[in-house]
Amino acid sequence: MKAMKLYSDVHRIYNNLAAMGLGPDDRLTVAHLTPFDQYHYEGTDAVDLALDHLGLHPGEALLDIGSGIGGPARYIADKTGVRVTALELQPDLDAVARDLTARCGLAASVTHVCGNILNGAPGDPFDGIISMLCMLHIPDKPRLFAAARAALKPGRAMYIEDFARARPLSAAETASLAEKVQAVDLPTSAEYRAHLQAAGFTQITLQDVTAEWRQFSAGRVKAARATRPAQVALHGESTVAGLEDFYEAVDALWQGGALTGLRIVAR
Ligand SMILES: C[S@@+](CC[C@H](N)C(=O)[O-])C[C@H]1O[C@@H](n2cnc3c(N)ncnc32)[C@H](O)[C@@H]1O
């Protein structure tokens, strides 16, 4: 996973907080963190869209599959009063997530679990599932969606944001996806739907957001270049070069027409 440079040096968020005058012992708010803790496209606007589709009520339980450093989980718990279980594979991301959640005073409403969704979700079935740009890392879609279905109460919704393959890929594109994005064997949109149906999901909508995400990706590369000196001063050359390399590799895939962006709701 660490070959994907978004996941190197995840402690860099502490540099951003220090630049805002917030040290390790300071209490935090979700608003302090959201510019830095959303590891998907379009920040909290995308999480708000997910909430519209999930139809959750305060006190209900949501599973976040691949929760990163906990950005979406904290935002949802704070905004809605929903109890979130944040399942994250990588221990260093999970540790940063726990620390930030505790410092926001949200430890009672966000439960962090370090684990692999392919081994099943923790606890009882949930009132909803959210998964933002995680599933592209998991080629075994039958096992993934079987685990997701088992974790979801009947009739409730799973909201996914994910990549699909737009067309047959060149060898260079396949290699770039495998190494720099840790994404092997992406399905097409039609294959994605078929996997969900095979796992027992019956109401499935797939929205193609390729144009939007292509634009987001281009903007991210541009912003990284424009702010490079300040970013290097904050995080150091190696972290910045790694992020740039990742942003540029993904952007080449978007601008070359290799990827489809999907917003999926499945019940
Ligand atoms: C692009 S990040 C997005 C994080 C978070 N959803 C967000 O939007 O901020 C995808 C995350 O999925 C996690 N992940 C990948 N495979 C996983 C698995 N099998 N089980 C749990 N988490 C996984 C990765 O470690 C990574 O932190």
Side-chain angles (χ1 to χ4, degrees), residues 111-237:
T111 303
H112 290 282
V113 177
C114 190
N116 187 339
I117 184 60
L118 293 178
N119 297 330
D124 294 331
F126 291 83
D127 300 298
I129 295 178
I130 184 170
S131 188
M132 308 290 277
L133 293 190
C134 163
M135 293 184 172
L136 56 94
H137 292 310
I138 306 174
D140 189 348
K141 295 289 190 286
R143 190 168 158 195
L144 168 63
F145 293 142
R149 185 191 171 187
L152 189 61
K153 288 183 186 167
R156 301 305 297 259
M158 171 166 71
Y159 180 92
I160 303 171
E161 295 204 348
D162 206 359
F163 293 1
R165 178 169 59 79
R167 55 163 171 72
L169 302 178
S170 70
E173 288 168 336
T174 302
S176 175
L177 267 171
E179 191 206 326
K180 300 197 173 187
V181 190
Q182 293 290 296
V184 176
D185 208 10
L186 286 181
T188 62
S189 299
E191 288 164 350
Y192 213 112
R193 179 186 291 278
H195 281 305
L196 285 164
Q197 279 167 339
F201 290 90
T202 52
Q203 294 173 46
I204 302 166
T205 59
L206 284 88
Q207 186 193 354
D208 185 327
V209 289
T210 307
E212 220 174 294
W213 287 5
R214 194 178 281 156
Q215 203 176 358
F216 174 90
S217 170
R220 184 166 68 171
V221 169
K222 207 171 154 193
R225 285 184 188 147
T227 60
R228 191 172 207 285
Q231 295 300 322
V232 170
L234 200 57
H235 302 299
E237 173 62 33

Side-chain angles (χ1 to χ4, degrees), residues 1 4 6-7 37-40 64-69 71-72 87-90 93 115-118 131-134 137-138:
M1 271 296 190
M4 175 161 153
L6 182 68
Y7 304 143
D37 67 359
Q38 309 288 316
Y39 280 14
H40 56 267
D64 182 356
I65 299 177
S67 48
I69 60 169
L87 177 65
E88 170 52 44
L89 181 67
Q90 299 182 69
L93 277 79
N116 187 339
I117 184 60
L118 293 178
S131 188
M132 308 290 277
L133 293 190
C134 163
H137 292 310
I138 306 174

